[in-house]
Amino acid sequence: MTQNNEQQNCYDIAVIGGGINGVGIANDAVGRGLSVFLCEKDDLASHTSSASSKLIHGGLRYLEHKEFRLVREALAEREVLLSKAPHIIRPMRFIMPHQPHLRPAWLIRTGLFFYDHLGKREKLAGSNLVQFVPETSPLKDEITRGFEYSDCAVDDSRLVILNAMQAREQGAQIVTQTRCISAQRENGVWTVQLENEHGQYQIQAKVLVNAAGPWVAKFIKQDLQLKSQYGIRLIQGSHIIVPKIYEGDKAFIMQNDDQRIVFAIPYLNQYTMIGTTDREYTGDPNQVEISQDEIDYLLDVSNDHFKVQLKQEDIISTFSGVRPLCDDESDNPAAITRDYTLSLSQDHENEAPLLSVFGGKLTTYRKLAESALDQIRKFFPELGKSWTEKALLPGAENLDSVESLIVEIENKIKGIDAETAQRWAHAFGTRVWKFLGHATSIHELGQDFGHGLYAQEVDYLVDQEWAMNSLDILKRRTKLYLKFDENAVQALDEYLVSLHERRLQKDVA
Ligand SMILES: Cc1cc2nc3c(=O)[nH]c(=O)nc-3n(C[C@H](O)[C@H](O)[C@H](O)COP(=O)(O)OP(=O)(O)OC[C@H]3O[C@@H](n4cnc5c(N)ncnc54)[C@H](O)[C@@H]3O)c2cc1C
């Protein structure tokens, strides 16, 4: 296996794309002894992988489309991922209100029976019937019964970052804000052209992995000047965030008249996240944003079910992403397969291989990575065994429970508020001590940016988690963006500029 070194600069694999699929493959590969390079044109998780419904789920509705392979794999992954990263993933109960004019109760009961039994389930509770009491139920009085089942909620962008950190800790080279602008096959290896704010450079790799998400087909056609084996359908999905419309930590899954489903999910203690839509998207994936139709649709579905009636003015924030789905020529965007397809292209034995990832879900990223490694095994006879199933992600090491970590933080850091201790424990797990160091009070944590963000955390995010600007920190590392006003963002930006300058001066010296 090639030991990458600076003179030779030839990696075993170069991965294009720092979404969940790219970092998942990079992490798995480096842990099996390959030398790995990954480039991301923006920030890690800045596209689809931070715009999801944030669920680790089997996908109850995919049963209707007979996606049994996908559902079985995804159901089993819930428990695997829960064990790997209990700080960023937590079990969640889902309530499905039942109304007689929708799918019949027997069909739902059958679906839930399969859901309970198709995949291995040890930690998550099974499904049951529920009766709603009008006095306490947040649902409209005419909704009197339903079903309840288990899935998990995840901090999607942190799942990406933790995989990237683990990959780097095992030796992977991961660069952000660096675009792959082209790549050519030369003498059995890929020469990969990269561009960042400082200019262009190149690296070489034996295998090129195209995990560019919504850009997967464009990358093959435009940047590699090759033909794509599969087509891609971009399906937009949007969410709205509103002040919480019900108490408690359960989510609701609402069946709409059009047979689509929409979730209402408790989000960051104070909010409810409502989504998603499914509509064909033909624009630039960098520019995707919610449309008025989608806003109306989500408000209508919520208002049809909940006593609290929402208006457009109640919306605090929205986010949209595009699912890069493998084109199966389905007429209905909601019915296009959520399964993944890996395409290996190599016309003759001496040609450097290209592996492209089409489709997939956050939930199945680890299995997708294992399949990717199986596909390229023939080029690396000494490839190590699969290892990710039992390996903890950063922050899960020595973690007894998130609850006990919260108490530990509260006991150690004088003046800390409960919400910040909770946020730190969930976001960082036991890695929180890396930036809390020997501090014993909040006054030792440097500049206070408000809402529990201090300079020591910011420095850690810049040094250890590839954060460059306030959006990286507020949206994808901490989710504090819903609380920060313009002035607070500006103060953070100014601090980051001075931090980068100080680091630059230190490097020059
Ligand atoms: C609305 C919505 C809800 C969803 N909900 C769920 C859910 O609840 N649970 C679940 O399991 N899944 C869910 N999904 C699916 C899941 O989010 C996606 O399958 C997954 O995030 C795709 O990851 P990816 O790595 O393929 O793509 P991305 O996350 O988009 O990553 C691809 C990356 O490649 C980079 N890139 C592209 N071209 C280049 C280049 N030339 N050079 C360098 N970098 C490049 C991009 O900048 C991008 O960051 C949802 C998706 C959507 C849209």
Side-chain angles (χ1 to χ4, degrees):
M1 220 161 293
T2 311
Q3 202 49 33
N4 178 58
N5 62 51
E6 289 304 318
Q7 293 88 23
Q8 194 178 9
N9 230 10
C10 184
Y11 294 85
D12 287 328
I13 69 168
V15 180
I16 313 304
I20 191 61
N21 290 327
V23 297
I25 293 170
N27 191 21
D28 195 343
V30 71
R32 297 189 198 214
L34 300 187
S35 59
V36 174
F37 174 89
L38 181 146
C39 68
E40 163 54 51
K41 68 182 170 61
D42 300 311
D43 181 24
L44 294 171
S46 48
H47 295 283
T48 322
S49 298
S50 59
S52 78
S53 302
K54 306 177 201 316
L55 302 177
I56 297 296
H57 64 158
L60 190 52
R61 77 194 156 105
Y62 310 142
L63 283 177
E64 275 188 337
H65 305 304
K66 302 193 177 59
E67 300 229 37
F68 296 116
R69 193 212 74 80
L70 171 66
V71 178
R72 184 180 293 114
E73 183 170 289
L75 285 170
E77 276 305 281
R78 297 178 307 182
E79 300 229 354
V80 172
L81 298 180
L82 194 55
S83 301
K84 281 172 71 70
H87 48 321
I88 59 161
I89 301 177
R90 63 180 196 285
M92 191 172 260
R93 292 294 280 172
F94 284 73
I95 297 176
M96 180 189 280
H98 185 251
Q99 288 171 289
H101 65 283
L102 296 170
R103 293 167 178 90
W106 67 264
L107 184 65
I108 298 173
R109 260 205 299 264
T110 312
L112 286 171
F113 177 82
F114 281 116
Y115 211 69
D116 282 344
H117 295 97
L118 258 181
K120 194 178 109 198
R121 183 173 56 80
E122 283 166 2
K123 295 185 183 148
L124 298 172
S127 61
N128 54 264
L129 273 166
V130 277
Q131 300 287 340
F132 305 118
V133 182
E135 290 74 33
T136 53
S137 170
L139 297 168
K140 287 183 163 174
D141 287 351
E142 62 266 28
I143 306 176
T144 55
R145 62 189 196 118
F147 303 88
E148 205 180 291
Y149 67 93
S150 294
D151 265 326
C152 295
V154 62
D155 185 333
D156 50 3
S157 48
R158 290 208 62 78
L159 184 65
V160 175
I161 286 152
L162 297 187
N163 271 280
M165 285 172 75
Q166 188 162 57
R168 185 188 51 201
E169 285 166 12
Q170 299 182 89
Q173 171 77 17
I174 295 185
V175 294
T176 62
Q177 309 297 339
T178 303
R179 176 193 294 272
C180 172
I181 48 174
S182 66
Q184 294 83 32
R185 289 169 159 137
E186 282 168 349
N187 306 324
V189 295
W190 286 96
T191 298
V192 183
Q193 297 290 335
L194 302 157
E195 185 175 64
N196 62 21
E197 60 166 348
H198 305 295
Q200 294 188 0
Y201 66 104
Q202 62 184 46
I203 55 128
Q204 290 192 315
K206 291 181 180 170
V207 175
L208 188 64
V209 176
N210 171 8
W215 292 270
V216 59
K218 177 196 157 282
F219 182 74
I220 298 173
K221 284 183 206 148
Q222 290 179 18
D223 301 328
L224 302 181
Q225 303 275 314
L226 297 172
K227 272 207 183 109
S228 177
Q229 245 177 312
Y230 297 95
I232 195 97
R233 294 270 289 276
L234 297 182
I235 304 299
Q236 174 170 357
S238 297
H239 291 81
I240 56 174
I241 297 172
V242 295
K244 68 176 166 191
I245 54 174
Y246 60 88
E247 292 299 326
D249 53 8
K250 294 182 180 176
F252 286 82
I253 168 168
M254 299 172 278
Q255 311 175 75
N256 196 25
D257 298 343
D258 61 4
Q259 296 291 302
R260 288 203 61 262
I261 52 119
V262 170
F263 293 105
I265 303 171
Y267 190 53
L268 304 173
N269 295 332
Q270 296 156 31
Y271 313 104
T272 304
M273 177 171 80
I274 301 171
T276 169
T277 51
D278 274 301
R279 60 174 214 159
E280 197 94 34
Y281 185 76
T282 50
D284 174 359
N286 285 309
Q287 308 291 338
V288 58
E289 55 179 43
I290 197 165
S291 68
Q292 187 59 48
D293 281 355
E294 289 178 289
I295 292 178
D296 295 341
Y297 179 84
L298 294 175
L299 290 177
D300 283 349
V301 176
S302 179
N303 290 340
D304 282 347
H305 287 80
F306 287 98
K307 285 177 186 154
V308 171
Q309 294 294 290
L310 292 169
K311 296 189 289 304
Q312 184 144 351
E313 305 82 90
D314 298 317
I315 298 174
I316 293 172
S317 183
T318 67
F319 63 91
S320 301
V322 281
R323 302 175 181 86
L325 302 182
C326 198
D327 190 359
D328 62 4
E329 289 169 11
S330 172
D331 301 338
N332 172 4
I336 304 171
T337 181
R338 262 55 173 170
D339 213 342
Y340 52 82
T341 302
L342 298 171
S343 150
L344 185 70
S345 82
Q346 185 197 35
D347 281 347
H348 53 84
E349 211 178 290
N350 297 329
E351 192 175 67
L354 166 70
L355 183 73
S356 299
V357 175
F358 293 84
K361 290 160 57 66
L362 281 171
T363 309
T364 47
Y365 85 91
R366 199 192 63 81
K367 294 297 284 181
L368 182 151
E370 285 188 344
S371 305
L373 271 287
D374 283 346
Q375 295 251 356
I376 59 174
R377 178 183 299 280
K378 58 182 168 204
F379 310 112
F380 303 106
E382 290 164 40
L383 188 75
K385 289 198 183 108
S386 59
W387 61 278
T388 54
E389 181 176 350
K390 299 275 180 235
L392 302 176
L393 282 170
E397 314 93 340
N398 306 315
L399 180 67
D400 289 337
S401 73
V402 178
E403 290 67 34
S404 62
L405 180 60
I406 295 171
V407 174
E408 224 181 308
I409 296 169
E410 284 175 336
N411 288 341
K412 186 160 178 236
I413 308 292
K414 255 191 236 107
I416 193 71
D417 60 282
E419 202 175 324
T420 302
Q422 204 186 27
R423 178 176 72 76
W424 281 342
H426 279 288
F428 301 105
T430 47
R431 294 286 171 113
V432 70
W433 304 118
K434 296 259 179 214
F435 68 84
L436 290 181
H438 299 294
T440 54
S441 120
I442 49 166
H443 305 297
E444 295 164 40
L445 299 178
Q447 187 172 337
D448 177 359
F449 299 98
H451 310 289
L453 186 69
Y454 297 90
Q456 258 177 239
E457 181 180 349
V458 173
D459 292 7
Y460 172 83
L461 294 174
V462 170
D463 292 340
Q464 301 298 321
E465 295 199 359
W466 297 270
M468 308 278 266
N469 56 44
S470 56
L471 256 191
D472 300 348
I473 290 178
L474 297 174
K475 270 205 133 165
R476 291 176 283 276
R477 307 298 187 287
T478 67
K479 303 260 184 330
L480 285 171
Y481 71 104
L482 293 171
K483 299 188 170 165
F484 267 55
D485 63 21
E486 247 175 66
N487 291 338
V489 173
Q490 198 185 335
L492 179 59
D493 273 328
E494 282 165 12
Y495 176 82
L496 285 166
V497 170
S498 74
L499 181 70
H500 290 311
E501 277 168 6
R502 269 182 281 142
R503 297 280 147 92
L504 215 62
Q505 278 163 9
K506 213 168 119 193
D507 286 350
V508 173

